mmCIF file with all atom_site columns, all heavy atoms in Angstrom:
data_model
loop_
_atom_site.group_PDB
_atom_site.id
_atom_site.type_symbol
_atom_site.label_atom_id
_atom_site.label_alt_id
_atom_site.label_comp_id
_atom_site.label_asym_id
_atom_site.label_entity_id
_atom_site.label_seq_id
_atom_site.pdbx_PDB_ins_code
_atom_site.Cartn_x
_atom_site.Cartn_y
_atom_site.Cartn_z
_atom_site.occupancy
_atom_site.B_iso_or_equiv
_atom_site.pdbx_formal_charge
_atom_site.auth_seq_id
_atom_site.auth_comp_id
_atom_site.auth_asym_id
_atom_site.auth_atom_id
_atom_site.pdbx_PDB_model_num
ATOM   1   N N   . LEU S 1 123 ? 120.248 104.326 96.156  1.00 93.00 ? 267 LEU S N   1
ATOM   2   C CA  . LEU S 1 123 ? 119.658 105.677 95.982  1.00 93.00 ? 267 LEU S CA  1
ATOM   3   C C   . LEU S 1 123 ? 120.844 106.676 96.105  1.00 93.00 ? 267 LEU S C   1
ATOM   4   O O   . LEU S 1 123 ? 121.265 106.920 97.157  1.00 93.00 ? 267 LEU S O   1
ATOM   5   C CB  . LEU S 1 123 ? 118.610 105.894 97.026  1.00 93.00 ? 267 LEU S CB  1
ATOM   6   C CG  . LEU S 1 123 ? 117.424 104.917 97.062  1.00 93.00 ? 267 LEU S CG  1
ATOM   7   C CD1 . LEU S 1 123 ? 116.722 104.932 98.349  1.00 93.00 ? 267 LEU S CD1 1
ATOM   8   C CD2 . LEU S 1 123 ? 116.477 105.193 95.891  1.00 93.00 ? 267 LEU S CD2 1
ATOM   9   N N   . GLU S 1 133 ? 112.716 111.671 96.691  1.00 92.00 ? 277 GLU S N   1
ATOM   10  C CA  . GLU S 1 133 ? 111.874 110.884 97.625  1.00 92.00 ? 277 GLU S CA  1
ATOM   11  C C   . GLU S 1 133 ? 111.338 111.799 98.724  1.00 92.00 ? 277 GLU S C   1
ATOM   12  O O   . GLU S 1 133 ? 110.981 111.392 99.784  1.00 92.00 ? 277 GLU S O   1
ATOM   13  C CB  . GLU S 1 133 ? 112.653 109.750 98.272  1.00 92.00 ? 277 GLU S CB  1
ATOM   14  C CG  . GLU S 1 133 ? 113.028 108.647 97.261  1.00 92.00 ? 277 GLU S CG  1
ATOM   15  C CD  . GLU S 1 133 ? 114.215 108.979 96.363  1.00 92.00 ? 277 GLU S CD  1
ATOM   16  O OE1 . GLU S 1 133 ? 114.958 109.905 96.727  1.00 92.00 ? 277 GLU S OE1 1
ATOM   17  O OE2 . GLU S 1 133 ? 114.377 108.390 95.321  1.00 92.00 ? 277 GLU S OE2 1
ATOM   18  N N   . HIS S 1 137 ? 105.209 108.786 101.369 1.00 97.00 ? 281 HIS S N   1
ATOM   19  C CA  . HIS S 1 137 ? 104.910 107.545 100.633 1.00 97.00 ? 281 HIS S CA  1
ATOM   20  C C   . HIS S 1 137 ? 105.199 106.325 101.441 1.00 97.00 ? 281 HIS S C   1
ATOM   21  O O   . HIS S 1 137 ? 106.069 106.343 102.303 1.00 97.00 ? 281 HIS S O   1
ATOM   22  C CB  . HIS S 1 137 ? 105.598 107.503 99.283  1.00 97.00 ? 281 HIS S CB  1
ATOM   23  C CG  . HIS S 1 137 ? 107.119 107.378 99.376  1.00 97.00 ? 281 HIS S CG  1
ATOM   24  N ND1 . HIS S 1 137 ? 107.915 108.484 99.765  1.00 97.00 ? 281 HIS S ND1 1
ATOM   25  C CD2 . HIS S 1 137 ? 107.930 106.321 99.148  1.00 97.00 ? 281 HIS S CD2 1
ATOM   26  C CE1 . HIS S 1 137 ? 109.140 108.118 99.747  1.00 97.00 ? 281 HIS S CE1 1
ATOM   27  N NE2 . HIS S 1 137 ? 109.202 106.789 99.456  1.00 97.00 ? 281 HIS S NE2 1
ATOM   28  N N   . ASP S 1 139 ? 106.593 102.443 100.376 1.00 95.00 ? 283 ASP S N   1
ATOM   29  C CA  . ASP S 1 139 ? 107.311 101.879 99.192  1.00 95.00 ? 283 ASP S CA  1
ATOM   30  C C   . ASP S 1 139 ? 106.372 100.961 98.387  1.00 95.00 ? 283 ASP S C   1
ATOM   31  O O   . ASP S 1 139 ? 105.661 100.181 99.058  1.00 95.00 ? 283 ASP S O   1
ATOM   32  C CB  . ASP S 1 139 ? 108.545 101.097 99.633  1.00 95.00 ? 283 ASP S CB  1
ATOM   33  C CG  . ASP S 1 139 ? 109.582 102.061 100.211 1.00 95.00 ? 283 ASP S CG  1
ATOM   34  O OD1 . ASP S 1 139 ? 109.680 103.240 99.803  1.00 95.00 ? 283 ASP S OD1 1
ATOM   35  O OD2 . ASP S 1 139 ? 110.356 101.641 101.170 1.00 95.00 ? 283 ASP S OD2 1
ATOM   36  N N   . LEU S 1 152 ? 117.184 100.444 105.276 1.00 98.00 ? 296 LEU S N   1
ATOM   37  C CA  . LEU S 1 152 ? 117.957 101.536 104.569 1.00 98.00 ? 296 LEU S CA  1
ATOM   38  C C   . LEU S 1 152 ? 119.326 101.733 105.276 1.00 98.00 ? 296 LEU S C   1
ATOM   39  O O   . LEU S 1 152 ? 119.232 101.948 106.515 1.00 98.00 ? 296 LEU S O   1
ATOM   40  C CB  . LEU S 1 152 ? 117.118 102.811 104.492 1.00 98.00 ? 296 LEU S CB  1
ATOM   41  C CG  . LEU S 1 152 ? 117.676 103.902 103.712 1.00 98.00 ? 296 LEU S CG  1
ATOM   42  C CD1 . LEU S 1 152 ? 117.643 103.618 102.159 1.00 98.00 ? 296 LEU S CD1 1
ATOM   43  C CD2 . LEU S 1 152 ? 116.885 105.220 103.936 1.00 98.00 ? 296 LEU S CD2 1
ATOM   44  N N   . THR S 1 164 ? 115.576 111.588 107.339 1.00 98.00 ? 308 THR S N   1
ATOM   45  C CA  . THR S 1 164 ? 114.381 110.921 106.890 1.00 98.00 ? 308 THR S CA  1
ATOM   46  C C   . THR S 1 164 ? 113.274 111.024 107.954 1.00 98.00 ? 308 THR S C   1
ATOM   47  O O   . THR S 1 164 ? 113.599 110.796 109.155 1.00 98.00 ? 308 THR S O   1
ATOM   48  C CB  . THR S 1 164 ? 114.615 109.414 106.567 1.00 98.00 ? 308 THR S CB  1
ATOM   49  O OG1 . THR S 1 164 ? 115.738 109.357 105.664 1.00 98.00 ? 308 THR S OG1 1
ATOM   50  C CG2 . THR S 1 164 ? 113.456 108.792 105.849 1.00 98.00 ? 308 THR S CG2 1
ATOM   51  N N   . TRP S 1 272 ? 120.757 111.019 110.247 1.00 98.00 ? 416 TRP S N   1
ATOM   52  C CA  . TRP S 1 272 ? 121.708 109.931 109.926 1.00 98.00 ? 416 TRP S CA  1
ATOM   53  C C   . TRP S 1 272 ? 123.103 110.268 110.318 1.00 98.00 ? 416 TRP S C   1
ATOM   54  O O   . TRP S 1 272 ? 123.561 111.419 110.234 1.00 98.00 ? 416 TRP S O   1
ATOM   55  C CB  . TRP S 1 272 ? 121.692 109.682 108.386 1.00 98.00 ? 416 TRP S CB  1
ATOM   56  C CG  . TRP S 1 272 ? 120.393 109.142 107.859 1.00 98.00 ? 416 TRP S CG  1
ATOM   57  C CD1 . TRP S 1 272 ? 119.341 109.891 107.429 1.00 98.00 ? 416 TRP S CD1 1
ATOM   58  C CD2 . TRP S 1 272 ? 119.997 107.784 107.758 1.00 98.00 ? 416 TRP S CD2 1
ATOM   59  N NE1 . TRP S 1 272 ? 118.309 109.017 107.008 1.00 98.00 ? 416 TRP S NE1 1
ATOM   60  C CE2 . TRP S 1 272 ? 118.675 107.776 107.228 1.00 98.00 ? 416 TRP S CE2 1
ATOM   61  C CE3 . TRP S 1 272 ? 120.641 106.561 108.099 1.00 98.00 ? 416 TRP S CE3 1
ATOM   62  C CZ2 . TRP S 1 272 ? 118.027 106.576 106.933 1.00 98.00 ? 416 TRP S CZ2 1
ATOM   63  C CZ3 . TRP S 1 272 ? 119.952 105.367 107.844 1.00 98.00 ? 416 TRP S CZ3 1
ATOM   64  C CH2 . TRP S 1 272 ? 118.676 105.393 107.314 1.00 98.00 ? 416 TRP S CH2 1
ATOM   65  N N   . TRP S 1 280 ? 111.978 100.040 108.572 1.00 98.00 ? 424 TRP S N   1
ATOM   66  C CA  . TRP S 1 280 ? 110.601 100.468 108.786 1.00 98.00 ? 424 TRP S CA  1
ATOM   67  C C   . TRP S 1 280 ? 109.651 99.344  108.356 1.00 98.00 ? 424 TRP S C   1
ATOM   68  O O   . TRP S 1 280 ? 109.914 98.660  107.483 1.00 98.00 ? 424 TRP S O   1
ATOM   69  C CB  . TRP S 1 280 ? 110.309 101.806 108.174 1.00 98.00 ? 424 TRP S CB  1
ATOM   70  C CG  . TRP S 1 280 ? 110.392 101.925 106.690 1.00 98.00 ? 424 TRP S CG  1
ATOM   71  C CD1 . TRP S 1 280 ? 109.440 101.674 105.730 1.00 98.00 ? 424 TRP S CD1 1
ATOM   72  C CD2 . TRP S 1 280 ? 111.552 102.422 105.953 1.00 98.00 ? 424 TRP S CD2 1
ATOM   73  N NE1 . TRP S 1 280 ? 109.881 101.923 104.504 1.00 98.00 ? 424 TRP S NE1 1
ATOM   74  C CE2 . TRP S 1 280 ? 111.153 102.430 104.598 1.00 98.00 ? 424 TRP S CE2 1
ATOM   75  C CE3 . TRP S 1 280 ? 112.853 102.905 106.326 1.00 98.00 ? 424 TRP S CE3 1
ATOM   76  C CZ2 . TRP S 1 280 ? 112.084 102.874 103.552 1.00 98.00 ? 424 TRP S CZ2 1
ATOM   77  C CZ3 . TRP S 1 280 ? 113.699 103.273 105.351 1.00 98.00 ? 424 TRP S CZ3 1
ATOM   78  C CH2 . TRP S 1 280 ? 113.328 103.289 103.967 1.00 98.00 ? 424 TRP S CH2 1
ATOM   79  N N   . HIS S 1 287 ? 107.044 107.451 104.710 1.00 98.00 ? 431 HIS S N   1
ATOM   80  C CA  . HIS S 1 287 ? 108.286 108.232 105.017 1.00 98.00 ? 431 HIS S CA  1
ATOM   81  C C   . HIS S 1 287 ? 108.523 109.298 103.972 1.00 98.00 ? 431 HIS S C   1
ATOM   82  O O   . HIS S 1 287 ? 107.872 109.280 102.934 1.00 98.00 ? 431 HIS S O   1
ATOM   83  C CB  . HIS S 1 287 ? 109.440 107.182 105.092 1.00 98.00 ? 431 HIS S CB  1
ATOM   84  C CG  . HIS S 1 287 ? 109.630 106.346 103.883 1.00 98.00 ? 431 HIS S CG  1
ATOM   85  N ND1 . HIS S 1 287 ? 108.907 105.212 103.644 1.00 98.00 ? 431 HIS S ND1 1
ATOM   86  C CD2 . HIS S 1 287 ? 110.463 106.397 102.792 1.00 98.00 ? 431 HIS S CD2 1
ATOM   87  C CE1 . HIS S 1 287 ? 109.228 104.630 102.540 1.00 98.00 ? 431 HIS S CE1 1
ATOM   88  N NE2 . HIS S 1 287 ? 110.221 105.363 101.987 1.00 98.00 ? 431 HIS S NE2 1
ATOM   89  N N   . ALA S 1 289 ? 111.960 111.622 102.582 1.00 97.00 ? 433 ALA S N   1
ATOM   90  C CA  . ALA S 1 289 ? 113.380 111.880 102.616 1.00 97.00 ? 433 ALA S CA  1
ATOM   91  C C   . ALA S 1 289 ? 113.662 113.319 102.307 1.00 97.00 ? 433 ALA S C   1
ATOM   92  O O   . ALA S 1 289 ? 113.423 113.772 101.206 1.00 97.00 ? 433 ALA S O   1
ATOM   93  C CB  . ALA S 1 289 ? 114.123 111.025 101.621 1.00 97.00 ? 433 ALA S CB  1
ATOM   94  N N   . ARG S 1 298 ? 124.508 112.191 98.650  1.00 97.00 ? 442 ARG S N   1
ATOM   95  C CA  . ARG S 1 298 ? 123.870 111.387 99.712  1.00 97.00 ? 442 ARG S CA  1
ATOM   96  C C   . ARG S 1 298 ? 123.581 110.007 99.041  1.00 97.00 ? 442 ARG S C   1
ATOM   97  O O   . ARG S 1 298 ? 122.950 109.976 98.039  1.00 97.00 ? 442 ARG S O   1
ATOM   98  C CB  . ARG S 1 298 ? 122.551 111.971 100.168 1.00 97.00 ? 442 ARG S CB  1
ATOM   99  C CG  . ARG S 1 298 ? 121.786 111.163 101.265 1.00 97.00 ? 442 ARG S CG  1
ATOM   100 C CD  . ARG S 1 298 ? 120.520 111.889 101.617 1.00 97.00 ? 442 ARG S CD  1
ATOM   101 N NE  . ARG S 1 298 ? 119.756 111.304 102.709 1.00 97.00 ? 442 ARG S NE  1
ATOM   102 C CZ  . ARG S 1 298 ? 118.784 110.444 102.601 1.00 97.00 ? 442 ARG S CZ  1
ATOM   103 N NH1 . ARG S 1 298 ? 118.522 109.911 101.412 1.00 97.00 ? 442 ARG S NH1 1
ATOM   104 N NH2 . ARG S 1 298 ? 118.097 110.019 103.655 1.00 97.00 ? 442 ARG S NH2 1
ATOM   105 N N   . MET S 1 300 ? 122.506 105.949 99.606  1.00 96.00 ? 444 MET S N   1
ATOM   106 C CA  . MET S 1 300 ? 121.874 105.022 100.546 1.00 96.00 ? 444 MET S CA  1
ATOM   107 C C   . MET S 1 300 ? 121.617 103.703 99.827  1.00 96.00 ? 444 MET S C   1
ATOM   108 O O   . MET S 1 300 ? 121.318 103.732 98.652  1.00 96.00 ? 444 MET S O   1
ATOM   109 C CB  . MET S 1 300 ? 120.527 105.611 101.033 1.00 96.00 ? 444 MET S CB  1
ATOM   110 C CG  . MET S 1 300 ? 120.457 107.030 101.509 1.00 96.00 ? 444 MET S CG  1
ATOM   111 S SD  . MET S 1 300 ? 121.428 107.383 102.972 1.00 96.00 ? 444 MET S SD  1
ATOM   112 C CE  . MET S 1 300 ? 120.216 106.943 104.209 1.00 96.00 ? 444 MET S CE  1
ATOM   113 N N   . ARG S 1 302 ? 119.058 100.455 99.896  1.00 96.00 ? 446 ARG S N   1
ATOM   114 C CA  . ARG S 1 302 ? 117.771 99.995  100.456 1.00 96.00 ? 446 ARG S CA  1
ATOM   115 C C   . ARG S 1 302 ? 117.484 98.515  99.995  1.00 96.00 ? 446 ARG S C   1
ATOM   116 O O   . ARG S 1 302 ? 117.665 98.207  98.903  1.00 96.00 ? 446 ARG S O   1
ATOM   117 C CB  . ARG S 1 302 ? 116.684 100.900 99.977  1.00 96.00 ? 446 ARG S CB  1
ATOM   118 C CG  . ARG S 1 302 ? 115.371 100.639 100.770 1.00 96.00 ? 446 ARG S CG  1
ATOM   119 C CD  . ARG S 1 302 ? 114.211 101.495 100.156 1.00 96.00 ? 446 ARG S CD  1
ATOM   120 N NE  . ARG S 1 302 ? 113.618 100.840 99.053  1.00 96.00 ? 446 ARG S NE  1
ATOM   121 C CZ  . ARG S 1 302 ? 112.713 101.403 98.268  1.00 96.00 ? 446 ARG S CZ  1
ATOM   122 N NH1 . ARG S 1 302 ? 112.408 102.667 98.465  1.00 96.00 ? 446 ARG S NH1 1
ATOM   123 N NH2 . ARG S 1 302 ? 112.135 100.731 97.317  1.00 96.00 ? 446 ARG S NH2 1
HETATM 124 C C1  . SIN B 2 .   ? 112.975 105.907 100.346 1.00 52.43 ? 183 SIN B C1  1
HETATM 125 O O1  . SIN B 2 .   ? 112.148 106.713 100.023 1.00 52.43 ? 183 SIN B O1  1
HETATM 126 O O2  . SIN B 2 .   ? 112.859 104.764 100.368 1.00 52.43 ? 183 SIN B O2  1
HETATM 127 C C2  . SIN B 2 .   ? 114.378 106.359 100.691 1.00 52.43 ? 183 SIN B C2  1
HETATM 128 C C3  . SIN B 2 .   ? 114.338 107.240 101.946 1.00 52.43 ? 183 SIN B C3  1
HETATM 129 C C4  . SIN B 2 .   ? 115.651 107.956 102.213 1.00 52.43 ? 183 SIN B C4  1
HETATM 130 O O3  . SIN B 2 .   ? 116.508 107.976 101.282 1.00 52.43 ? 183 SIN B O3  1
HETATM 131 O O4  . SIN B 2 .   ? 115.858 108.430 103.259 1.00 52.43 ? 183 SIN B O4  1
#
Side-chain angles (χ1 to χ4, degrees):
L267 300 161
E277 291 78 20
H281 64 285
D283 293 327
L296 186 70
T308 310
W416 293 90
W424 60 88
H431 54 282
R442 180 181 187 269
M444 314 293 276
R446 193 183 85 191

